[in-house]
Amino acid sequence: MKPKIRRFTLSDLATGYPGDFGDDYIELLHFKDFAEPLAADGARLEECRFSSVQIQSLRNARLIQCELEQSGAPALAGAGAFLNDVRVEHSRFGSADFAEAELDGVVFENCKFGWLNLAGAIVRDVVFRNCQFEEIDLGGRIQRVAFEDSRTGLLTCTGAQLREVNVEGLDFAQVQGIEFLRGAQISALQLGVLAEEMAGCLGIKLAN
């Protein structure tokens, strides 16, 4: 089953300022072209747009119907965050740590990641479209997630609980924790790449 992505439209947004991040509840603001990185630990952000800004920390924050474009951070701390109906486009993250976070109805498009950490996270109805990664850790509860025209150097699945996860559109150079790929949909070509390692997990010896 494909991810269920809900559409939303942001309109009539007022200009947001760094000082707004002193509030616990932030809504209907457009944050644009800030020189200093923003931190929104524990804040609730609804119907906000971020354009050309660095978001340094979202620990335990809640983002609902928000858009990020041409944004990112060298290291995004997002442990425990909740993202619901969020769009992230043309953004770059040296690392994005979403350990123990919850992502629901999120689309990442034309994004680059050094390391994406979803260990212990609850992730459902998420699409990665035309994204590049150096490493992805899928070690969480992952449901209805799809990769399209994306690539990674390392795919780590150790500890993952996968359900209706489509990785056909993800080119990978290496997989760790291949026994945790149960519940994933792969292509025939990917199966050929993984065949020897899968055989080793099953104790099957391949003839030369």
Side-chain angles (χ1 to χ4, degrees):
M1 183 179 295
K2 293 183 178 180
K4 300 176 182 178
I5 303 299
R6 299 167 290 273
R7 295 186 178 185
F8 63 90
T9 301
L10 298 181
S11 58
D12 300 324
L13 302 182
T15 300
Y17 299 95
D20 293 316
F21 281 82
D23 298 330
D24 292 333
Y25 181 57
I26 305 166
E27 65 173 340
L28 296 170
L29 295 178
H30 184 189
F31 300 94
K32 184 177 181 181
D33 297 327
F34 291 164
E36 296 297 323
L38 302 176
D41 292 347
R44 181 184 179 97
L45 299 99
E46 292 192 26
E47 297 182 81
C48 291
R49 178 180 291 120
F50 300 85
S51 304
S52 301
V53 300
Q54 286 194 23
I55 302 178
Q56 180 175 329
S57 184
L58 293 172
R59 293 186 184 93
N60 300 312
R62 298 177 67 86
L63 276 68
I64 301 171
Q65 292 193 345
C66 290
E67 294 180 348
L68 288 77
E69 53 189 14
Q70 295 183 339
S71 298
L76 172 61
F82 175 70
L83 278 62
N84 180 237
D85 294 342
V86 173
R87 309 287 180 267
V88 186
E89 298 181 353
H90 299 283
S91 297
R92 186 165 189 163
F93 303 90
S95 64
D97 184 5
F98 287 112
E100 308 293 335
E102 184 171 351
L103 282 66
D104 186 352
V106 181
V107 176
F108 295 91
E109 188 166 4
N110 297 308
C111 294
K112 292 185 177 181
F113 298 83
W115 172 55
L116 174 63
N117 182 27
L118 297 173
I122 299 174
V123 182
R124 57 181 171 267
D125 296 316
V126 173
V127 175
F128 295 94
R129 184 177 296 120
N130 193 26
C131 291
Q132 296 183 28
F133 311 83
E134 293 180 16
E135 178 181 353
I136 308 170
D137 189 332
L138 282 183
R141 293 167 55 188
I142 317 295
Q143 180 179 5
R144 290 193 304 272
V145 171
F147 293 87
E148 303 173 5
D149 299 319
S150 297
R151 58 207 56 84
T152 185
L154 174 62
L155 176 63
T156 299
C157 299
T158 305
Q161 300 176 48
L162 307 182
R163 183 178 176 187
E164 298 175 303
V165 175
N166 190 336
V167 297
E168 289 183 87
L170 178 67
D171 291 335
F172 47 77
Q174 182 182 359
V175 175
Q176 287 185 354
I178 194 170
E179 64 272 25
F180 292 94
L181 266 178
R182 180 185 179 92
Q185 179 175 325
I186 65 174
S187 68
L189 179 60
Q190 289 169 326
L191 177 60
V193 172
L194 297 173
E196 184 174 354
E197 191 171 353
M198 285 181 171
C201 288
L202 295 172
I204 299 173
K205 295 182 180 180
L206 297 180
N208 295 326

